[in-house]
Amino acid sequence: MSQASFGPVGSDVGDVVRFGEAMTARMMLDAQSSAGGFSVVEHLLGPKELAAPLHRHSREDEFTIVTHGRIGFLLGEEVFSAGPGELVRKPRNQWHTFWNDGNEPARVLEIISPAGFERYFQEIEPLFPENAPPDLKAMAQVSAKYGLQMDFDSLPVLIERFGLARPLEMDGEAPR
């Protein structure tokens, strides 16, 4: 999606990508909207929902702004949480993940710089078919295309450590 004009981007603008009953990603601003400088993706997370396994980006930095709820973060070895109006920087090449730390839905804005990674969410959406486990082998291939490393083995550890809901990725077979 590309904005043809300047001005507010409302809640009805942008392609929404859904991963079954899990987290959603709404593309608010894409690479074309910012001449490749950055993109903005909104994530909605259910109560106690883990956004992703531990992962790291080799090409972009991410900046998370919490707009609703309380979000827990694991950045390297550091664990902390942030609430509405707080910003968290997740630099490239740093292992990280985040989750909804509360019992109500939460929402964040992810500013991704440089732009381009927002297309990742659109590419992996078909890998989460309804009523079937996700295709993690194909997801690993798409991740590699975007310079993203995913540690699928971190899922059960994160779930237990932070008392989180079981994500869809746990129903697939991790690539080896």
Side-chain angles (χ1 to χ4, degrees), residues 4-64:
S5 62
F6 295 96
V9 176
S11 61
D12 60 340
V13 173
D15 297 332
V16 175
V17 176
R18 298 187 190 285
F19 306 105
E21 297 297 315
M23 180 179 79
T24 64
R26 179 169 66 104
M27 290 0 103
M28 295 181 72
L29 293 174
D30 61 11
Q32 188 176 349
S33 300
S34 69
F38 67 94
S39 59
V40 179
V41 176
E42 178 185 56
H43 292 302
L44 305 174
L45 294 105
K48 298 294 183 180
E49 183 177 0
L50 180 64
L54 272 173
H55 61 284
R56 66 179 171 184
H57 304 261
S58 64
R59 301 176 188 156
E60 52 275 321
D61 298 309
E62 293 181 303
F63 304 86
T64 303

Side-chain angles (χ1 to χ4, degrees), residues 135-157:
D135 184 344
L136 297 185
K137 185 173 182 178
M139 189 172 167
Q141 292 171 337
V142 175
S143 295
K145 174 182 170 182
Y146 284 91
L148 176 68
Q149 287 180 277
M150 301 278 272
D151 179 2
F152 291 106
D153 293 333
S154 71
L155 287 168
V157 174

Side-chain angles (χ1 to χ4, degrees), residues 16-128:
V16 175
V17 176
R18 298 187 190 285
F19 306 105
E21 297 297 315
M23 180 179 79
T24 64
R26 179 169 66 104
M27 290 0 103
M28 295 181 72
L29 293 174
D30 61 11
Q32 188 176 349
S33 300
S34 69
F38 67 94
S39 59
V40 179
V41 176
E42 178 185 56
H43 292 302
L44 305 174
L45 294 105
K48 298 294 183 180
E49 183 177 0
L50 180 64
L54 272 173
H55 61 284
R56 66 179 171 184
H57 304 261
S58 64
R59 301 176 188 156
E60 52 275 321
D61 298 309
E62 293 181 303
F63 304 86
T64 303
I65 301 169
V66 179
T67 60
H68 294 85
R70 192 117 194 112
I71 302 294
F73 291 88
L74 175 59
L75 184 60
E77 296 297 319
E78 190 176 351
V79 177
F80 56 92
S81 65
E86 294 184 282
L87 179 140
V88 175
R89 178 176 175 255
K90 299 178 294 189
R92 68 188 75 194
N93 296 315
Q94 175 67 65
W95 286 100
H96 66 277
T97 191
F98 63 99
W99 59 90
N100 180 344
D101 206 19
N103 294 316
E104 300 294 327
R107 184 182 307 237
V108 301
L109 293 177
E110 289 273 279
I111 300 168
I112 305 165
S113 176
F117 185 76
E118 71 279 3
R119 293 186 303 265
Y120 170 81
F121 301 107
Q122 294 163 319
E123 287 195 41
I124 67 167
E125 181 182 30
L127 306 179
F128 289 80

